[in-house]
Amino acid sequence: MKNTTTTDLLEKQFQDRIDRGESIEPKDWMPEKYRKTHIRQISQHAHSEIVGMLPEGNWITRAPTLRRKTALLAKVQDEAGHGLYLYSATETLGVSRDELFEQLHSGKAKYSSIFNYPTLSWADMGAIGWLVDGAAIINQVPLTRTSYGPYARAMVRVCKEESFHQRQGYEIMLTLCNGTEVQKQMAQNALDRWWWPSLAMFGPPDAESTHTEQSMKWKIKRKTNDELRQQFVDITKPQADILGLTIPDPDLKWNEERGHYDFGEIDWEEFWQVVKGHGPCNKQRLAARNKAWDEGAWVRDAALAYAEKQEAKRAEETAPLQKAG
Ligand SMILES: [Fe+2]
Ligand SMILES: [Fe+2]
């Protein structure tokens, strides 16, 4: 009985801290569920950044100009950096990186299902930057004020880089749309394929979202899936108009009364199929990550051997000093 009371008190104090807007740091007391939820969410985010390099990595060697290649290369490298920040943030919660990688490579861990779609043309580099990174920004800006300190701080830098990603993508679209008829068609086709998966990136509707309520209370989430999705549609529709492209949704129209765009129903059946591993590229993505992991074994071994050698050398150097002291 006594233990329950202590836990209750700690939980109350913890919630009060969050309500006051204080940030929770790695060594602070936290409910086990808070820790577990964060390990799940931050590692899923990290995996998404890492797997997210694959669809675009596919086009680096085929970028149409040196300038485009440089920008795409920088963007894909940024995503690697985001993944590493986020793995570090996850580690502060007491889980090892090896364990996280194992979860990804075995297929146990989830990552954003959008990266299970293929990149069929150069225009997809534009559509991904514009829509996928655009959706990521809307998801992540509220996370810069999330309650867990290491996650919030990682998001500040990540969001700055995401806005570069969004711009380089939109600029690709703009160039294609001002080009030949075939180029504009290519851009339209990319929008047609990426629009719906981008909307699904915000997750299931609020009514069916299992984590929303608790996540709002802990300020892991500050806006609901549907609110964020609406914000994305409202921002993106005028951008499509500037490009002269048509969003593939006959129900998309301005609602004067609500002050927002109305839009059509997302195919959630397709979404869940992809989440469950039956998307067009799930197998390919996991195989690519496993291959990279296996082929990188010698680099990890070499780095470890070098670190051990350095440490032995340091120990040898300081040993006589310690004796003398
Ligand atoms: Fe990223
Ligand atoms: Fe990005």
Side-chain angles (χ1 to χ4, degrees):
M1 264 340 259
K2 191 164 175 281
N3 275 341
T4 318
T5 319
T6 315
T7 310
D8 284 350
L9 188 68
L10 282 168
E11 275 188 15
K12 191 187 170 308
Q13 284 169 346
F14 178 82
Q15 188 60 51
D16 288 347
R17 288 189 62 196
I18 290 184
D19 293 343
R20 283 198 299 271
E22 285 177 32
S23 86
I24 306 299
E25 296 301 330
K27 288 186 175 150
D28 295 348
W29 184 90
M30 60 184 80
E32 208 38 40
K33 208 176 148 210
Y34 180 90
R35 184 189 303 276
K36 290 231 171 78
T37 303
H38 272 83
I39 290 175
R40 194 192 68 237
Q41 182 173 331
I42 308 174
S43 66
Q44 277 181 10
H45 191 164
H47 299 324
S48 302
E49 303 282 356
I50 296 297
V51 178
M53 291 193 285
L54 294 169
E56 287 170 296
N58 182 33
W59 281 89
I60 291 173
T61 55
R62 290 174 286 169
T65 67
L66 182 60
R67 182 174 165 267
R68 291 292 186 212
K69 192 195 285 269
T70 317
L72 185 60
L73 204 53
K75 185 218 190 249
V76 173
Q77 283 178 335
D78 283 353
E79 307 301 6
H82 298 173
L84 297 182
Y85 281 158
L86 290 165
Y87 282 129
S88 298
T90 321
E91 282 177 303
T92 65
L93 291 157
V95 59
S96 75
R97 199 172 294 209
D98 280 344
E99 210 173 312
L100 297 172
F101 282 146
E102 199 280 320
Q103 289 171 0
L104 175 65
H105 298 146
S106 66
K108 212 161 73 190
K110 296 264 180 286
Y111 54 83
S112 184
S113 63
I114 190 122
F115 300 121
N116 291 314
Y117 289 86
T119 43
L120 305 178
S121 80
W122 171 252
D124 288 20
M125 299 306 96
I128 289 180
W130 173 34
L131 302 172
V132 178
D133 292 88
I137 294 170
I138 290 178
N139 259 327
Q140 291 169 15
V141 165
L143 290 174
T144 60
R145 293 177 301 125
T146 189
S147 62
Y148 190 55
Y151 193 27
R153 290 189 289 273
M155 281 302 106
V156 173
R157 179 154 173 190
V158 166
C159 282
K160 282 184 190 156
E161 294 178 346
E162 292 304 349
S163 82
F164 151 65
H165 300 169
Q166 198 270 351
R167 277 152 193 253
Q168 65 90 39
Y170 192 72
E171 202 216 359
I172 291 173
M173 295 302 272
L174 204 54
T175 305
L176 290 172
C177 291
N178 289 323
T180 64
E181 202 40 52
V182 176
Q183 285 174 316
K184 192 166 181 186
Q185 266 313 309
M186 213 161 88
Q188 179 65 55
N189 178 273
L191 170 60
D192 290 347
R193 284 179 292 109
W194 290 96
W195 175 254
W196 291 105
S198 299
L199 286 195
M201 274 176 79
F202 296 94
D206 294 349
E208 286 157 42
S209 176
T210 40
H211 304 304
T212 297
E213 201 186 327
Q214 180 65 75
S215 295
M216 296 284 268
K217 206 173 141 212
W218 281 336
K219 295 188 184 169
I220 306 173
K221 252 191 137 107
R222 312 198 68 136
K223 284 180 178 179
T224 71
N225 296 354
D226 288 335
E227 283 170 337
L228 293 168
R229 192 169 7 248
Q230 182 70 60
Q231 197 182 331
F232 176 74
V233 174
D234 290 348
I235 289 175
T236 311
K237 167 71 170 103
Q239 295 173 344
D241 292 342
I242 292 171
L243 295 173
L245 296 179
T246 310
I247 289 177
D249 178 0
D251 298 323
L252 185 78
K253 51 178 165 301
W254 182 251
N255 183 324
E256 194 64 54
E257 212 171 293
R258 291 201 310 123
H260 292 290
Y261 285 96
D262 289 337
F263 54 95
E265 191 61 38
I266 293 164
D267 182 354
W268 291 111
E269 179 50 33
E270 176 184 317
F271 173 79
W272 289 116
Q273 281 303 316
V274 181
V275 170
K276 283 177 192 148
H278 311 302
C281 298
N282 295 58
K283 288 203 180 73
Q284 206 176 317
R285 300 296 183 232
L286 267 196
R289 283 320 310 164
N290 274 289
K291 183 167 177 275
W293 177 255
D294 294 342
E295 288 178 354
W298 70 273
V299 179
R300 294 192 299 278
D301 290 346
L304 208 61
Y306 180 75
E308 276 165 9
K309 219 163 96 184
Q310 291 298 103
E311 202 172 325
K313 216 161 121 190
R314 250 195 319 274
E316 217 171 89
E317 278 165 10
T318 53
L321 288 178
Q322 276 164 358
K323 245 180 240 161

